[in-house]
Amino acid sequence: MADDKLILLDFWASMFGMRVRISLDEKGIEYEYKEQDLFDKGPLLLQMNPIHKKIPVLIHNGKPVCESLIILQYIDEVWPDKAPLLPSDPYQRTQARFWADFIDKKVYDASRKIWATKGEEQEAGKKDFLEALKMLEGELGEKPYFEGERFGYVDVALVGFYSWFYAYESFGNFSIEADFPKITAWANRCLQRESVAKALVDGKKVHEVIVDLRKSWGIE
C-alpha cells in the first residue's frame, strides 16, 4: 500500500499513543505525526473523533480509526505481513486481547488515581495498581515477552506505561524496580528495541507535567 496516507493525532506523553507509534515503527510504516494540545483541542481532532474527543487517532486515507487497542488491531489486519502483533492461534489471540483489556481497565484506572488524586482515593489506586502489576508479573513468568519469545500485542499495550513509572513511584512512594523485578527486566528488554526506545519518553519530563497539573487542580 505504497499510496497510503497515514496521519497520527497524538500527544507526546500518552502511553496510548506510544502503542500506535511502536506498532507502526515495528512494521516499518511511514506516517505523519501531528501533536495535539489536549487542553485546547483542535478542529481536526474534534472532527475525526467527535464521540470521545481523545487521542490517539489514526487517519488512514482520510478515514479515522480511534481507541489505541482498536488501532493496533487495525494496523495488524491492514499490514499483516511484517511484525504481526497478535498471535496466529485463535485462542492465544483471545488471551492477548484479554490482557490488553486488563491493562486498560485495571492498570490505567488505578495508576491515574496515584497521580491525579490524594488521600484515601490515592491509596486505593496505589493498592489496585500494585495488585495489577503482581498479576501481570505472574502472567509474564520467566518468559522474555508476554507471548513468549515474540514481542507482541500485550507488550505493546503495556510498555508505554514505563514512561510513567517514575511519576507513579514518586507520588505513590513505592519502588516498582524493587517490588517487581521481572516487570522491570521485561521493560528494559523492550527498550532494546528501536521502536520502543524511540516512542517512550523521559519519565522525569512526564513527572514535571504532572506536578504542574496537580498544582493547577489544587491537589498539591
Side-chain angles (χ1 to χ4, degrees):
M1 295 188 178
D3 296 330
D4 283 350
K5 182 178 181 182
L6 286 170
I7 300 172
L8 178 61
L9 308 183
D10 199 359
F11 176 65
W12 67 273
S14 168
M15 66 279 286
F16 303 114
M18 292 176 203
R19 292 170 172 175
V20 182
R21 285 174 253 158
I22 290 168
S23 301
L24 291 169
D25 284 346
E26 282 286 320
K27 290 177 176 287
I29 301 167
E30 293 185 2
Y31 62 96
E32 179 184 353
Y33 179 91
K34 288 192 175 184
E35 180 76 8
Q36 303 297 299
D37 183 347
L38 301 188
F39 304 101
D40 184 16
K41 296 174 182 178
L44 184 59
L45 176 60
L46 298 178
Q47 176 192 348
M48 291 296 169
N49 191 359
I51 306 300
H52 295 301
K53 304 177 177 63
K54 293 179 179 179
I55 54 90
V57 179
L58 183 67
I59 306 170
H60 184 199
N61 294 333
K63 297 178 180 178
V65 185
C66 305
E67 299 293 303
S68 63
L69 293 180
I70 293 173
I71 295 172
L72 297 194
Q73 293 177 44
Y74 179 80
I75 290 170
D76 220 26
E77 290 174 9
V78 176
W79 295 277
D81 297 335
K82 185 179 179 185
L85 299 171
L86 283 158
S88 57
D89 178 77
Y91 178 75
Q92 290 179 356
R93 275 204 302 274
T94 66
Q95 297 306 293
R97 290 188 176 116
F98 171 87
W99 284 108
D101 184 66
F102 175 89
I103 291 163
D104 274 7
K105 290 178 179 174
K106 297 295 185 180
V107 177
Y108 175 71
D109 288 353
S111 67
R112 193 180 189 283
K113 291 179 183 177
I114 296 172
W115 65 265
T117 67
K118 60 182 180 180
E120 291 183 3
E121 190 174 3
Q122 184 187 47
E123 282 301 311
K126 173 182 170 180
K127 179 176 178 288
D128 290 345
F129 176 72
L130 295 176
E131 285 181 359
L133 280 191
K134 185 177 180 180
M135 291 181 190
L136 283 165
E137 193 163 75
E139 171 63 17
L140 178 64
E142 302 301 325
K143 304 189 297 286
Y145 299 109
F146 278 93
E147 290 161 33
E149 298 295 324
R150 191 178 70 86
F151 178 77
Y153 187 69
V154 181
D155 304 296
V156 174
L158 181 61
V159 75
F161 285 85
Y162 184 75
S163 291
W164 289 66
F165 277 10
Y166 178 79
Y168 302 154
E169 292 173 325
S170 175
F171 295 113
N173 193 29
F174 57 87
S175 170
I176 294 172
E177 184 174 4
D179 296 338
F180 303 98
K182 290 179 182 178
I183 289 288
T184 302
W186 161 84
N188 288 325
R189 191 175 302 116
C190 291
L191 274 167
Q192 294 174 17
R193 305 183 73 85
E194 185 178 351
S195 63
V196 177
K198 181 180 172 184
L200 266 59
V201 298
D202 185 347
K204 292 186 177 179
K205 289 183 178 179
V206 173
H207 180 264
E208 289 171 6
V209 171
I210 294 174
V211 168
D212 291 341
L213 270 179
R214 285 171 66 90
K215 286 178 181 176
S216 69
W217 293 344
I219 297 175
E220 292 295 346

